[in-house]
C-alpha cells in the first residue's frame, strides 16, 4: 500500500492523476446510468443502450488509463504505439460491453459475478495492453505480486459495483455506490499495477520532436472523453426524462382507465381475445380480469348474435373503416342483459400493421328505457293526434307550420302531400282555397281576406271563432297562444252539430212529424194575438181540433199509415191558411188553430176552410181513408181572458162536438164548464169509492141453451154513490179508464168476486170483464194469481172476458199476458164478438175458451135476416174451431128458440135472469 502511494505521489503528476480520477468517475457513472437504461428497456432499445454503455464506459475508462499514464514520469522520454493503443481501446470497450451484457442477460447472482469478472479482467487487459503500447529507450519490468493484486482489486471492486448496479434504488447515496465502487476498482487496478513497474533506461534516447506532446494528448483525450461522456449523459438524461414523462402519461392513463367505472374499457388482440380489463368493465359485465382476459369478446353477445356472426362483422368493420359503432343487447356474467353503446377502434403500429382493438362499452339501459318511454309516449301522442275527431296544428312565432294531424287536412280537404311542416300560414290558406274554389282569382281573393281576418282574430286573442263556408260547412276554431309567440289551433267540423242544434231548436217549438208549430209556440202566438187584439179592440178565436176515428186508422192500418194521413192533412191545412192564421199540432190527432178577427164572417170562413181541409178522402198505399174532424171554438175576450183558459174552453167545445151526432163544430158555452166540473168531481170520487164501500157486485146467470142448466154467472159492477145514488156503469167505467182508477177498482172486483164464489156450495164459474187498461198492465197475471191464492178459488171456476179492441192496442203484449193468465188454469172468453174488428187472425193467434156473441145481434135476429145470418155464421165458426159460443142479450123466447135451432151452446139475458146481488141463499135457490 505504501509503495502504491509512493508511486502516486512521487512518480505521477498529481494534476493529471486528479483529471484521470475525474474521467474515471464520470465514465463509471455514465456506464452505470446507461446500464440502468438498458435494464429498464426492452427489444432493440435495450441493445442500443447496451452498446452505448459499452462504448461510452469503455472509452472513458480507457481515457482514464492514458491520462494516468501521461501523468506517470518514468524519467525517460516515452511515446505510444498507435496500433497497440487502439487495441487497448477496443479491449476496454469490449470489456465494458460484455460486463453490461452479462448483467442484463443472466440472473442476478451469476450476472453480478460474471459482469464483475469480465469488467475487472477486461480493464486489466486494457491496462497491460496499453502499457505494451509505450515506446521508450529502455525496458519495463513487472512485479508479479502487484500485477496479481491489481487484477484482484479490479475484479473485486467490479463485482461489488455490479452487485449494486440496476437495483432500482433511487436514493442519492445508494445511486452513487456502483459508480464509486467501479471507479475505485479502476483506480486501484491502475495504480497498483503501476506500483509494480520498474523502468530500466536504454542507451538510445527518443527524439522528443518526433513524439506527440503529452500535454496535447491529455487535452485531446480529455476533450473527446468529456464530449463522449456528455453525450452519453445527455442521452441518458433525455431518456430518463422521456421515460418519466411516458411513465407519468402511462400512469395517468392507467389511473384514468382503471378509475373509470361507468365505461367498460379494454383491449382486444387482433383475433378478438380480451387482453386487458378495467374496473368499469368488471362493474358493467361482472367478470374479473383473471376470468375474462384471454377469452373471446363474443362471449358478451347472445347465442343468436354469435350464430349470425355479428361479433366478427363488428371487428371487420373496425378493421376496414377504422371504427365500429353500434348499440344492442349485451350479456353479463350472470346472464342478465343490458343495452350497450359500443365503440371499437382498430389500433395499428407505425408501420400500419394491426396490433389489436380498443373497445369501449357504455351501459345505456336507463337511457334506452327512457328513450323507449319517450318513443312510446310520442307514438301514443301521434296515434292520439291522428285519431282525434278534431283537426289540430301548431304554428311558430314566424307563422310557420310546426305540426298538424290528418284530421286537419281532411276538414279543409287539402290535396295529399300539399301541406308540410315549415310552410307559412298564408301559403297554407292559399292552397286550401285553391283546392276548393274553381275560379283562381276568386280563390286568391278569398284566401287573402281569410288570412287577414283570421290573423287579426288570432293576434287579437280571440280564443274561438266559427267559419262558415259557401259549401255549407261550418268550422269552429279554438286558438291557444304560446309564450314564444306561436299558437296551437284546433278545428272541429260543427256542421252536423249546428244542424242538430237548429233541429232541436225547431223541434222545441214544432211537431217532429208534420213540422207544424207545437203547443208551446201556439201559446206564444196566441199570447201575441191577444196583445194585438187589446190594442185594436179585436177578437181572437182559439179552435181545438180532434180528428174523428183516427184511432181506428192506426189500429186497422198501422201507425205508419196514420202518420202519412197526418202529413197529408197538414199539407192541406197549409194550403188553406191565409195571412194572420195559425195552426199547430199538439200531438196524436189533436190540432189547434187561431185567428184574430173583427167580423164573425171571417171566423166562419176560416172554420169552413179548416173543415174542408180536414174532411174528405186520403189515399195511402191503396187504401182510401175517409177523414173528418170535430172542432171546438172559444173566443177572446168573451169566453176567456188567458191563453190557458181559451185552450181549455175550446177543448170543452170540441168534446161536445165529438159527442154530437149532428154538429162537427161547437162554440163554447158556459154550461160546458159545469159538465166538465161534474166529470172531474166524479173522477175524484172514483178514487175513494172503494174506501167508502160504495161498490158492490151483481151477477147475471148464464145457462145452457140445450138443457137450461146454469153454467155460470157474469160479474157486473155497480156503484151506489152516497150523494148521487146509483150511477150506471156506462157513466163511470169509461171515466175510470181515463183517470186510471180502473186498476184498483178492477182488482177489487176480481178479489170480491173470487171471494164470494169460493163460498158457494157448487162449481159454477164466474165471468169477470177485464178492461183494456188492466190487460195492458204488466203484472196482471201476477195479480190474478195472488187473488186466487188469497181467496182459495179453483182457477177453473174463473173466466176472464176480454174484448178484441183490448188486444188490438198492443197485440203481442196482450197475447203474452193472456198466455200467462191461462197458464194459471183460468179460462178466457172473447167478449162482444161480431162488433168492432172481429178478426179471425185474433182467434187464430190465441185459443180462446169461449166466444161471446154481442147482444146487438140478438136484438135484430127475429126481424133482420142479415143479423140472423151473422149469428148462424159465428155459431158455425165456433163449432169449426171447437170453441163454445155464448149469446148475450136474450130477452124473448123466440130468440132463445133460434139459438136452440142454430145449436148455440150458452145464453144469458133478461129472459134467463136479471143481474142481481147474490147471497148464499139466492145462489142455492138458483142452483
Amino acid at each position: 500500500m505504501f509503495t502504491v502511494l509512493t508511486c502516486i505521489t512521487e512518480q505521477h503528476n498529481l494534476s493529471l492523476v486528479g483529471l484521470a480520477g475525474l474521467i474515471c468517475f464520470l465514465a463509471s457513472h455514465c456506464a452505470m446510468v446507461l446500464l440502468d437504461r438498458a435494464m429498464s428497456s426492452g427489444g432493440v432499445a435495450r441493445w442500443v443502450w447496451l452498446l452505448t454503455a459499452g462504448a461510452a464506459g469503455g472509452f472513458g475508462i480507457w481515457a482514464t488509463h492514458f491520462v494516468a499514464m501521461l501523468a506517470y514520469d518514468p524519467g525517460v522520454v516515452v511515446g505510444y504505439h498507435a496500433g497497440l493503443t487502439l487495441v487497448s481501446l477496443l479491449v476496454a470497450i469490449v470489456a465494458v460491453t460484455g460486463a453490461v451484457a452479462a448483467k442484463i442477460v443472466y440472473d442476478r447472482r451469476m450476472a453480478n459475478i460474471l459482469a464483475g469478472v469480465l469488467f475487472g479482467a477486461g480493464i486489466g487487459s486494457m491496462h497491460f495492453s496499453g502499457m505494451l503500447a509505450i515506446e521508450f529507450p529502455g525496458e519495463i519490468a513487472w512485479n508479479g505480486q502487484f500485477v496479481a493484486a491489481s487484477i484482484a482489486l479490479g475484479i473485486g471492486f467490479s463485482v461489488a459495483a455490479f452487485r449494486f448496479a440496476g437495483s432500482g434504488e433511487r436514493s442519492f447515496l445508494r445511486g452513487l455506490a456502483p459508480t464509486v465502487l467501479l471507479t475505485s476498482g479502476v483506480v486501484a487496478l491502475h495504480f497498483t499495477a503501476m506500483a509494480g513497474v520498474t523502468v530500466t533506461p536504454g542507451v538510445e534516447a527518443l527524439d522528443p520532436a518526433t513524439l506527440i506532446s503529452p500535454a496535447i494528448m491529455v487535452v485531446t483525450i480529455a476533450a473527446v472523453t468529456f464530449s463522449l461522456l456528455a453525450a452519453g449523459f445527455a442521452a441518458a438524461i433525455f431518456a430518463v426524462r422521456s421515460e418519466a414523462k411516458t411513465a407519468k402519461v402511462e400512469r395517468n392513463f392507467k389511473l384514468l382507465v382503471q378509475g373509470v367505472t361507468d365505461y367498460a374499457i379494454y383491449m382486444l388482440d387482433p383475433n378478438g381475445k380480451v387482453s386487458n380489463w378495467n374496473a368499469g368493465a368488471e362493474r358493467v359485465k361482472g367478470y374479473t380480469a383473471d376470468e375474462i382476459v384471454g377469452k373471446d369478446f363474443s362471449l358478451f353477445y347472445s347465442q343468436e348474435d354469435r350464430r349470425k356472426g355479428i361479433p366478427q362483422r363488428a371487428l371487420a368493420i373496425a378493421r376496414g373503416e377504422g371504427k365500429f359503432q353500434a348499440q344492442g343487447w349485451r350479456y353479463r356474467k350472470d346472464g342478465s342483459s343490458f343495452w350497450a353503446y359500443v365503440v371499437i377502434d382498430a389500433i395499428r403500429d407505425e408501420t400500419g400493421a394491426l396490433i389489436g382493438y380498443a373497445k369501449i362499452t357504455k351501459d345505456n339501459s336507463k337511457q334506452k328505457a327512457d328513450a323507449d318511454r319517450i318513443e312510446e309516449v310520442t307514438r301514443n301522442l301521434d296515434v292520439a293526434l291522428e285519431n282525434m275527431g278534431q283537426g289540430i296544428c301548431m304554428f311558430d312565432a314566424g307563422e310557420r307550420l310546426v305540426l298538424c294531424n290528418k284530421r286537419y287536412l281532411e276538414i279543409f280537404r287539402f290535396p295529399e302531400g300539399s301541406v308540410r311542416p315549415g310552410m307559412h300560414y298564408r301559403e297554407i290558406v292559399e292552397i286550401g282555397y285553391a283546392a276548393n274554389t274553381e275560379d283562381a282569382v276568386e280563390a286568391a281573393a278569398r284566401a287573402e281576406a281569410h288570412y287577414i281576418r283570421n290573423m287579426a282574430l288570432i293576434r287579437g286573442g280571440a280564443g274561438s271563432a266559427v267559419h262558415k263556408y259557401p259549401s255549407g260547412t261550418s268550422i269552429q276554431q279554438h286558438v291557444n297562444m304560446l309564450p314564444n309567440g306561436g299558437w296551437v289551433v284546433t278545428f272541429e267540423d260543427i256542421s252536423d252539430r249546428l244542424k242538430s242544434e237548429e233541429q232541436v231548436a225547431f223541434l222545441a217549438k214544432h211537431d217532429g212529424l208534420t213540422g207544424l208549430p207545437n203547443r208551446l209556440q201556439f201559446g206564444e202566438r196566441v199570447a201575441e194575438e191577444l196583445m194585438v187584439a187589446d190594442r185594436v179592440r179585436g177578437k181572437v178565436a182559439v179552435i181545438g181540433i180532434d180528428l174523428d176515428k183516427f184511432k181506428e186508422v192506426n189500429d186497422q192500418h198501422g201507425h205508419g199509415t196514420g202518420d202519412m194521413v197526418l202529413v197529408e192533412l197538414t199539407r192541406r191545412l197549409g194550403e188553406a191558411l191565409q195571412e194572420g192564421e195559425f195552426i199547430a199540432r199538439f200531438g196524436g190527432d189533436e190540432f189547434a188553430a187561431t185567428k184574430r178577427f173583427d167580423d164573425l164572417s171571417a171566423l166562419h170562413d176560416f172554420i169552413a176552410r179548416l173543415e174542408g181541409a180536414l174532411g174528405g178522402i186520403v189515399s195511402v198505399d191503396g187504401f182510401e181513408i175517409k177523414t173528418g174532424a170535430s172542432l171546438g171554438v172559444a173566443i177572446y175576450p168573451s169566453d176567456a181572458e188567458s191563453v190557458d183558459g181559451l185552450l181549455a174552453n175550446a177543448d170543452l167545445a170540441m168534446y161536445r162536438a165529438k159527442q154530437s151526432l149532428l154538429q162537427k163544430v161547437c162554440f163554447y158555452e158556459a154550461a160546458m164548464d159545469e159538465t166538465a166540473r161534474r166529470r172531474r168531481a166524479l173522477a175524484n170520487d172514483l178514487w175513494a169509492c172503494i174506501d167508502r164501500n160504495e161498490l158492490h157486485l151483481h151477477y147475471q146467470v148464464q145457462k145452457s141453451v140445450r138443457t137450461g142448466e146454469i153454467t155460470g154467472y157474469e160479474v157486473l159492477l155497480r156503484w151506489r154513490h152516497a150523494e148521487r145514488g146509483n150511477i150506471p156503469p156506462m157513466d163511470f167505467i169509461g171515466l175510470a179508464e181515463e183517470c186510471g182508477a180502473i186498476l184498483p177498482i178492477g182488482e177489487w172486483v176480481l178479489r170480491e168476486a173470487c171471494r164470494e164464489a169460493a163460498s158457494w156450495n157448487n162449481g159454477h164459474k164466474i165471468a169477470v170483464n177485464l178492461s183494456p187498461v188492466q190487460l195492458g198492465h204488466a203484472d196482471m197475471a201476477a195479480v190474478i194469481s195472488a187473488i186466487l191464492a188469497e181467496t182459495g178459488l179453483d182457477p177453473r171456476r174463473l173466466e176472464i172476458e176480454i174484448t178484441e179492441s183490448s188486444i188490438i192496442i198492443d197485440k203481442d203484449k196482450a197475447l203474452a199476458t193472456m198466455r200467462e193468465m191461462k197458464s194459471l188454469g183460468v179460462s178466457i172468453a172473447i167478449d162482444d164478438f161480431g162488433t168492432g174488428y172481429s178478426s179471425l187472425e185474433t182467434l187464430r193467434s190465441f185459443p180462446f175458451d169461449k166466444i161471446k156473441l154481442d147482444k146487438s145481434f140478438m136484438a135484430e135476429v127475429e126481424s133482420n135476416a142479415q143479423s140472423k145470418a151473422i149469428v148462424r155464421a159465428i155459431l158455425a165458426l165456433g163449432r169449426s174451431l171447437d170453441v163454445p159460443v155464448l149469446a148475450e142479450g136474450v130477452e124473448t123466447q123466440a130468440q132463445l128458440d133460434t139459438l136452440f135451432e142454430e145449436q148455440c151452446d150458452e145464453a144469458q139475458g133478461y129472459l134467463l135472469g136479471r143481474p142481481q146481488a147474490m147471497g148464499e141463499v139466492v145462489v142455492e135457490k138458483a142452483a
Side-chain angles (χ1 to χ4, degrees):
M1 184 65 181
F2 179 77
T3 303
V4 173
L5 291 175
T6 301
C7 174
I8 293 173
T9 58
E10 294 182 1
Q11 296 180 356
H12 287 78
N13 185 329
L14 294 179
S15 299
L16 293 180
V17 169
L19 178 61
L22 176 62
I23 291 173
C24 183
F25 179 84
L26 293 175
S28 298
H29 189 62
C30 181
M32 292 296 102
V33 169
L34 295 177
L35 170 62
D36 187 58
R37 304 306 322 135
M39 293 183 69
S40 62
S41 301
V44 176
R46 168 173 287 187
W47 294 105
V48 170
W49 285 117
L50 185 149
L51 294 175
T52 303
F59 189 89
I61 292 172
W62 176 81
T64 298
H65 166 73
F66 265 89
V67 170
M69 288 299 296
L70 292 172
Y72 177 65
D73 183 11
V76 294
V77 177
V78 298
Y80 295 92
H81 188 276
L84 291 176
T85 300
L86 289 176
V87 169
S88 66
L89 174 60
L90 290 176
V91 170
I93 292 174
V94 171
V96 175
T97 301
V100 172
K103 176 66 175 177
I104 294 173
V105 172
Y106 292 97
D107 58 22
R108 185 170 182 180
R109 186 173 181 180
M110 177 60 70
N112 295 333
I113 296 173
L114 184 59
V117 171
L118 288 175
F119 187 87
I123 297 304
S125 299
M126 178 272 297
H127 175 80
F128 292 110
S129 62
M131 290 297 292
L132 294 175
I134 297 175
E135 294 181 352
F136 65 95
E139 293 181 357
I140 297 176
W142 297 93
N143 185 318
Q145 292 180 350
F146 280 99
V147 170
S150 67
I151 294 174
L153 288 172
I155 292 174
F157 278 107
S158 296
V159 170
F162 281 105
R163 162 66 179 78
F164 290 102
S167 62
E169 297 291 342
R170 289 291 177 263
S171 65
F172 179 74
L173 295 177
R174 296 295 297 270
L176 286 179
T179 300
V180 172
L181 289 171
L182 201 60
T183 301
S184 299
V186 172
V187 170
L189 184 149
H190 179 84
F191 287 105
T192 301
M194 290 304 295
V197 173
T198 301
V199 177
T200 303
V203 178
E204 296 181 2
L206 297 176
D207 183 2
T210 63
L211 300 176
I212 299 175
S213 168
I216 294 175
M217 288 185 66
V218 168
V219 172
T220 301
I221 291 172
V224 173
T225 300
F226 282 125
S227 297
L228 183 59
L229 292 177
F233 277 121
I237 291 171
F238 285 134
V240 168
R241 289 181 178 178
S242 177
E243 285 186 5
K245 186 176 181 181
T246 301
K248 183 178 180 181
V249 171
E250 288 180 353
R251 184 171 61 256
N252 291 340
F253 179 75
K254 185 175 181 181
L255 290 174
L256 174 64
V257 172
Q258 293 298 330
V260 172
T261 58
D262 290 338
Y263 290 84
I265 303 175
Y266 52 97
M267 297 291 293
L268 305 177
D269 66 15
N271 296 320
K273 298 292 191 299
V274 178
S275 57
N276 63 19
W277 198 247
N278 80 329
E282 182 174 344
R283 188 190 69 82
V284 171
K285 300 194 176 185
Y287 294 95
T288 64
D290 294 338
E291 292 172 329
I292 199 63
V293 171
K295 302 288 182 64
D296 196 282
F297 86 110
S298 62
L299 186 66
F300 309 134
Y301 289 76
S302 66
Q303 291 183 356
E304 179 66 17
D305 289 347
R306 292 197 295 269
R307 186 183 63 80
K308 293 179 179 178
I310 292 177
Q312 289 70 29
R313 285 203 298 272
L315 292 183
I317 293 173
R319 188 167 54 250
E321 301 178 6
K323 182 185 289 291
F324 169 80
Q325 298 183 76
Q327 295 191 72
W329 292 107
R330 298 295 185 269
Y331 294 86
R332 301 184 180 93
K333 177 183 177 181
D334 60 6
S336 60
S337 61
F338 65 96
W339 185 258
Y341 172 71
V342 177
V343 178
I344 302 177
D345 287 305
I347 307 299
R348 300 180 182 276
D349 61 14
E350 59 274 10
T351 65
L354 180 70
I355 59 176
Y357 303 92
K359 191 169 186 291
I360 301 175
T361 302
K362 176 72 166 60
D363 184 353
N364 276 354
S365 299
K366 184 178 183 302
Q367 291 86 335
K368 176 173 174 55
D370 293 341
D372 288 345
R373 282 193 295 271
I374 293 172
E375 182 181 358
E376 182 179 2
V377 170
T378 303
R379 184 170 59 251
N380 291 338
L381 286 176
D382 290 342
V383 171
L385 284 175
E386 291 305 316
N387 288 277
M388 284 178 62
Q390 296 176 319
I392 186 170
C393 53
M394 177 188 290
F395 290 87
D396 61 18
E399 300 182 14
R400 298 201 172 273
L401 181 66
V402 177
L403 62 85
C404 66
N405 67 347
K406 182 174 65 175
R407 181 58 181 154
Y408 169 68
L409 305 176
E410 292 173 349
I411 288 176
F412 293 102
R413 292 179 290 180
F414 287 107
E416 186 175 353
S418 62
V419 176
R420 301 175 303 279
M423 295 179 65
H424 196 276
Y425 178 57
R426 182 193 295 269
E427 183 182 359
I428 295 173
V429 173
E430 292 172 350
I431 292 173
Y433 275 98
N436 297 283
T437 307
E438 294 182 358
D439 190 326
V441 176
E442 180 185 358
R446 290 169 60 186
E448 181 66 18
H450 179 97
Y451 170 77
I452 294 173
R453 181 176 67 255
N454 204 38
M455 285 309 302
L457 291 173
I458 292 172
R459 297 301 184 191
S464 296
V466 175
H467 301 283
K468 292 188 175 182
Y469 298 92
S471 62
T473 302
S474 296
I475 305 297
Q476 184 176 46
Q477 167 186 293
H478 186 77
V479 179
N480 284 320
M481 298 302 297
L482 302 177
N484 62 1
W487 70 90
V488 176
V489 58
T490 58
F491 299 94
E492 182 179 4
D493 186 344
I494 60 171
S495 306
D496 293 339
R497 191 178 80 190
L498 289 181
K499 291 178 182 177
S500 297
E501 291 174 352
E502 292 171 358
Q503 183 68 13
V504 169
F506 178 83
L507 292 177
K509 293 187 176 183
H510 292 79
D511 173 53
L513 175 64
T514 63
L516 290 174
N518 61 8
R519 184 185 295 271
L520 175 63
Q521 190 174 0
F522 184 80
E524 294 174 353
R525 177 60 181 265
V526 173
E528 293 173 2
E529 294 293 345
L530 295 183
M531 288 188 291
V532 174
D534 287 338
R535 290 197 300 270
V536 300
R537 296 184 180 181
K539 299 178 180 179
V540 177
V542 173
I543 304 170
I545 304 170
D546 191 82
L547 301 181
D548 294 337
K549 297 183 180 181
F550 186 72
K551 184 175 180 298
E552 295 181 7
V553 174
N554 281 332
D555 291 343
Q556 290 180 353
H557 302 288
H559 290 279
T561 300
D563 290 345
M564 287 189 280
V565 170
L566 290 173
V567 171
E568 174 59 21
L569 293 179
T570 299
R571 185 190 66 77
R572 295 180 183 181
L573 287 170
E575 293 177 351
L577 289 180
Q578 295 179 2
E579 185 178 356
E581 298 170 349
F582 195 78
I583 191 165
R585 181 188 178 210
F586 287 180
D589 56 357
E590 294 184 56
F591 293 80
T594 186
K595 179 179 176 65
R596 179 169 47 83
F597 66 97
D598 296 318
D599 190 345
L600 278 174
S601 61
L603 174 59
H604 286 299
D605 175 65
F606 180 43
I607 292 172
R609 283 185 276 114
L610 292 177
E611 285 189 285
L614 294 168
I617 302 296
V618 176
S619 298
V620 178
D621 293 338
F623 297 105
E624 289 189 350
I625 299 172
K626 188 176 186 309
T627 62
S630 299
L631 285 69
V633 184
I635 298 175
Y636 173 85
S638 59
D639 295 334
E641 295 184 352
S642 66
V643 175
D644 292 340
L646 288 170
L647 285 171
N649 292 340
D651 280 344
L652 288 174
M654 181 266 295
Y655 282 122
R656 180 183 172 190
K658 286 188 75 69
Q659 294 170 358
S660 173
L661 297 177
L662 299 176
Q663 286 183 292
K664 290 299 180 183
V665 179
C666 287
F667 283 76
Y668 171 76
E669 298 174 2
M672 294 179 182
D673 259 347
E674 182 61 31
T675 302
R677 280 194 293 272
R678 286 198 301 268
R679 187 174 177 83
R680 287 194 294 271
L682 189 63
N684 290 333
D685 290 342
L686 275 171
W687 287 100
C689 65
I690 297 176
D691 294 335
R692 295 174 182 172
N693 295 319
E694 296 177 348
L695 298 179
H696 59 279
L697 301 180
H698 281 184
Y699 298 85
Q700 186 171 29
V701 69
Q702 299 172 336
K703 294 184 178 182
S704 169
V705 173
R706 185 173 59 85
T707 65
E709 294 179 355
I710 296 176
T711 58
Y713 298 89
E714 181 177 4
V715 179
L716 302 173
L717 179 62
R718 297 293 184 261
W719 182 14
R720 187 182 296 111
H721 195 280
E723 298 175 357
R724 302 183 186 184
N726 289 326
I727 300 176
M730 67 178 62
D731 291 343
F732 72 83
I733 294 297
L735 183 59
E737 290 179 339
E738 289 179 14
C739 70
I742 193 65
L743 290 175
I745 291 174
E747 186 174 340
W748 179 88
V749 170
L750 272 169
R751 180 176 286 104
E752 188 65 17
C754 290
R755 186 188 61 78
E756 288 191 9
S759 66
W760 300 342
N761 293 325
N762 56 59
H764 295 154
K765 299 179 70 170
I766 56 170
V768 181
N769 286 280
L770 209 62
S771 163
V773 177
Q774 289 177 280
L775 184 61
H777 195 269
D779 297 330
M780 199 63 230
V783 170
I784 294 173
S785 176
I787 290 174
L788 290 172
E790 177 186 337
T791 61
L793 181 68
D794 186 349
R796 291 174 295 180
R797 295 180 59 196
L798 177 62
E799 184 174 85
I800 300 297
E801 294 186 359
I802 298 172
T803 61
E804 189 175 9
S805 60
S806 303
I807 303 173
I808 296 301
I809 295 174
D810 189 342
K811 188 174 183 180
D812 292 338
K813 182 179 180 181
L815 293 178
T817 302
M818 290 163 61
R819 290 189 181 96
E820 289 179 6
M821 291 189 295
K822 191 164 185 179
S823 67
L824 300 174
V826 304
S827 57
I828 299 178
I830 183 168
D831 197 13
D832 298 336
F833 193 79
T835 63
Y837 309 102
S838 300
S839 171
L840 297 179
E841 171 64 20
T842 302
L843 292 176
R844 188 191 67 82
S845 301
F846 188 83
F848 289 95
D849 299 293
K850 184 181 293 185
I851 297 174
K852 295 191 72 174
L853 183 63
D854 189 72
K855 61 183 178 181
S856 62
F857 294 105
M858 298 311 300
E860 300 178 354
V861 73
E862 298 177 63
S863 59
N864 189 312
Q866 290 181 343
S867 295
K868 189 173 184 177
I870 292 174
V871 170
R872 184 181 294 116
I874 292 174
L875 292 173
L877 176 63
R879 286 192 298 271
S880 65
L881 295 176
D882 197 21
V883 178
V885 179
L886 182 147
E888 297 180 300
V890 178
E891 298 182 357
T892 66
Q893 186 61 44
Q895 293 172 347
L896 184 61
D897 292 342
T898 299
L899 293 175
F900 184 83
E901 292 173 1
E902 299 298 334
Q903 301 178 17
C904 180
D905 298 289
E906 297 177 61
Q908 73 178 72
Y910 285 174
L911 177 65
L912 303 176
R914 290 179 176 274
Q916 60 180 323
M918 296 183 79
E920 182 71 26
V921 177
V922 177
V923 174
E924 290 180 354
K925 191 179 295 184

